[in-house]
Amino acid sequence: MDTTIAAISTNSLGVGAINIVRLSGPESIAIVSKIFTNKKFSTAKSHTIHYGYIKDNDTIIDEVLVTLMRAPKTYTMEDVVEINCHGGSITANKILELLYTNGAVPAEPGEFTKRAFLNGRINLLEAESVEDLLEAKNENARKLALNGISGKTTKLIQDLREKMVSLLANIEVNIDYPEYIDELQITKENITPVLTEIKNSLQKIVEESENGKKIKEGINIAIIGRPNVGKSSLLNALLEEDKAIVTDISGTTRDIVEGTIQYKGINLNFIDTAGIRETEDIVEKIGVEKSKKIQESSDITILVLNNNELLTEEDKELLKKVEQEKGVIFINKIDLTSKLPELKTTKKIIKGSTIKNVGLEELKEEILSEFSLEDMSYKDLTYLFNTRQISLAKQALQNINHVIEENKKDIPVDMLAIEIRESWEYLGQIIGEAYEDELVDNIFKRFCLGK
């Protein structure tokens, strides 16, 4: 990291009051000094702001304010300079071009945050939380990301690692120095409570992190049913707009139609699918297959039934399918005469009307309750919430569960230490105590330029 990088840190695609051009690296101050008219800048104290002009030889490019921040008390722990220029992409890009001409190199996506990580200012979990904050789609996702940045989530992981390393240390002392009788003698009996405590903590983190991921990305909800039961009407009513085409002709919806609403701080991602039935129509058949795949990959299913019609074989098959997964049944058109028999199901049944907007609030409440998200905004949101982090936590939990089972058998305690250490390493990978260069590169490539 001996180069000095530069990028536009604000959204230069639109017109705004200001743009910020950022530099980080050992030559940041020297490079800006070449094009900045304020001669006191290069010798100024850290964390000061300076007024002047950016010039290309004798030509004034812009009137600016320049912020000088000397290492190590900066975002990247390197010398950082930020040029506050007037908004619009032309001016900012001209200043950027001058910086490149005078020795800076273009920053890669996320390279500022990557340097903060590699220089030890933040760990990998905190770095990923920066990206999550930038992409937060609702208030709870913002809070979750801030807790990741502040270190609250890191502390959860560090506390678990400390328990594991303490257990490992005692096991190794018992093996290598059995003559030290003052040390705790590790046996199957006294290892069990510690392992159980670790398991319970990991289990809680994994379960709540799955919900935390839904806070970030929203809940994916497949609206299924046979043709003409009111799926598209339900989507339109939930979104409060005419997103899907609604007609009396069966099979109108032949491809998926999606829409998102925010409800109590959670994004609900509704997916209207093609009516599921046997058909010889090639295009409709493709839509039906898509519908089945969407149902399998969604977090929860809404099965729509028509209150004014008898159950068909397609309805019965869909009811069996919904019984095996997270789902809710919405009986539509309750303003019409009922012909449906009493349903034998363990799923919540909500009766409503898309025309009269009846049952929609109850339906949204039920979706949140299926994931215990109704009061999520009142909780201390300190969870993991991306696939990489959750996967590593699950691997650590799997190992600890296996150790607990093996501990019930005639397995030497020192053999159990191998999997405990693996779990400790998995948790270390979450916060970046252990990592591969390729993994880090891939993580920061997802960031925007200038961050």
Side-chain angles (χ1 to χ4, degrees):
M1 292 185 291
D2 55 350
T3 58
T4 296
I5 56 174
I8 299 172
S9 289
T10 43
N11 185 354
S12 62
L13 298 178
V15 177
I18 62 168
N19 260 321
I20 298 175
V21 182
R22 173 189 282 177
L23 299 91
S24 179
E27 299 299 317
S28 296
I29 298 170
I31 290 170
V32 174
S33 295
K34 294 177 185 178
I35 61 172
F36 188 38
T37 59
N38 191 324
K39 301 303 180 185
K40 295 180 181 179
F41 171 74
S42 61
T43 57
K45 293 182 179 179
S46 181
H47 294 76
T48 52
I49 298 175
H50 307 268
Y51 168 78
Y53 294 88
I54 296 294
K55 294 183 71 175
D56 181 6
N57 295 320
D58 294 328
T59 304
I60 292 177
I61 303 302
D62 195 19
E63 182 182 27
V64 298
L65 290 175
V66 178
T67 304
L68 184 154
M69 294 169 278
R70 297 183 184 275
K73 293 183 178 180
T74 68
Y75 182 65
T76 60
M77 297 187 75
E78 303 172 335
D79 285 346
V80 171
V81 177
E82 292 184 351
I83 302 170
N84 291 255
C85 62
H86 286 92
S89 59
I90 302 298
T91 301
N93 278 302
K94 180 61 180 175
I95 292 173
L96 197 58
E97 181 185 322
L98 281 174
L99 295 174
Y100 295 156
T101 301
N102 284 279
V105 298
E108 296 176 355
E111 191 170 359
F112 290 93
T113 303
K114 181 179 179 180
R115 290 189 175 203
F117 164 66
L118 294 175
N119 288 328
R121 184 184 177 277
I122 57 176
N123 63 43
L124 197 54
L125 189 151
E126 291 164 346
E128 288 181 290
S129 296
V130 171
E131 182 195 14
D132 293 330
L133 181 62
L134 296 176
E135 296 183 351
K137 297 176 181 177
N138 55 60
E139 178 63 11
N140 283 337
R142 184 188 69 80
K143 291 178 183 177
L144 195 62
L146 278 177
N147 281 342
I149 293 171
S150 69
K152 289 184 179 180
T153 311
T154 296
K155 191 173 186 311
L156 284 176
I157 302 303
Q158 288 175 334
D159 288 348
L160 274 173
R161 294 189 87 221
E162 285 176 12
K163 289 176 183 176
M164 290 178 185
V165 83
S166 177
L167 187 58
L168 287 169
N170 278 319
I171 290 174
E172 293 193 14
V173 165
N174 278 213
I175 296 166
D176 297 336
Y177 305 101
E179 66 274 16
Y180 286 89
I181 58 173
D182 291 339
E183 290 294 330
L184 173 66
Q185 298 301 301
I186 296 296
T187 65
K188 289 181 178 296
E189 289 71 27
N190 58 31
I191 198 176
T192 300
V194 182
L195 288 171
T196 302
E197 184 181 350
I198 292 171
K199 171 196 168 180
N200 291 341
S201 296
L202 270 174
Q203 185 76 47
K204 186 171 185 285
I205 288 172
V206 168
E207 288 175 357
E208 294 188 339
S209 293
E210 292 286 4
N211 284 342
K213 190 178 177 186
K214 290 178 176 61
I215 291 173
K216 175 187 174 184
E217 299 174 0
I219 302 171
N220 295 324
I221 307 151
I223 303 174
I224 68 163
R226 60 180 172 80
N228 221 29
V229 292
K231 300 185 301 300
S232 297
S233 296
L234 178 59
L235 176 72
N236 289 343
L238 289 165
L239 300 180
E240 298 183 5
E241 64 172 297
D242 292 333
K243 186 89 172 183
I245 298 172
V246 177
T247 74
D248 292 330
I249 303 170
S250 295
T252 300
T253 304
R254 297 193 170 205
D255 205 349
I256 61 171
V257 182
E258 302 177 66
T260 297
I261 62 170
Q262 199 172 111
Y263 185 69
K264 295 190 174 179
I266 306 297
N267 283 14
L268 303 182
N269 308 317
F270 293 103
I271 310 163
D272 178 25
T273 63
I276 298 176
R277 66 172 176 179
E278 293 297 324
T279 178
E280 296 303 318
D281 185 299
I282 295 175
V283 177
E284 188 179 357
K285 190 177 287 188
I286 293 171
V288 170
E289 288 304 312
K290 274 191 176 183
S291 298
K292 291 177 180 178
K293 289 178 181 178
I294 290 293
Q295 182 183 359
E296 290 172 2
S297 62
S298 63
D299 298 313
I300 187 170
T301 298
I302 299 174
L303 171 59
V304 182
L305 299 175
N306 189 341
N307 181 58
N308 195 40
E309 294 178 353
L310 295 171
L311 281 180
T312 66
E313 288 304 313
E314 284 97 343
D315 290 330
K316 292 174 184 177
E317 286 300 314
L318 290 170
L319 278 165
K320 288 180 184 177
K321 178 72 175 170
V322 170
E323 280 294 317
Q324 301 166 10
E325 56 195 28
K326 278 190 182 295
V328 56
I329 298 168
F330 184 78
I331 299 178
N332 191 25
K333 306 180 184 180
I334 60 164
D335 48 314
L336 302 178
T337 303
S338 178
K339 294 181 181 179
L340 274 181
E342 185 177 345
L343 300 177
K344 294 181 180 179
T345 177
T346 60
K347 300 302 176 184
K348 174 79 172 181
I349 297 175
I350 296 172
K351 297 181 179 181
S353 168
T354 56
I355 294 176
K356 297 183 180 297
N357 286 330
V358 175
L360 302 185
E361 285 299 307
E362 186 181 354
L363 181 59
K364 289 181 278 189
E365 286 289 343
E366 178 59 25
I367 291 167
L368 290 192
S369 69
E370 285 284 334
F371 299 95
S372 303
L373 299 180
E374 317 95 303
D375 60 342
M376 190 63 79
S377 59
Y378 304 108
K379 294 184 179 179
D380 183 19
L381 304 174
T382 51
Y383 313 137
L384 311 172
F385 70 138
N386 72 35
T387 303
R388 183 192 75 86
Q389 297 166 7
I390 295 172
S391 175
L392 288 166
K394 284 181 176 178
Q395 287 177 283
L397 176 60
Q398 184 179 339
N399 270 23
I400 294 299
N401 281 331
H402 188 252
V403 170
I404 290 173
E405 289 304 311
E406 291 295 289
N407 193 41
K408 296 175 183 176
K409 305 173 186 176
D410 190 22
I411 304 291
V413 173
D414 55 302
M415 294 297 292
L416 303 178
I418 297 172
E419 285 194 276
I420 297 172
R421 181 173 293 278
E422 282 182 356
S423 292
W424 178 79
E425 289 172 351
Y426 285 139
L427 296 184
Q429 289 177 42
I430 292 176
I431 57 178
E433 291 293 326
Y435 63 88
E436 297 177 0
D437 290 342
E438 185 179 356
L439 167 68
V440 171
D441 289 343
N442 286 332
I443 286 173
F444 289 104
K445 279 178 183 176
R446 299 196 300 264
F447 281 53
C448 58
L449 279 171
K451 191 55 185 171

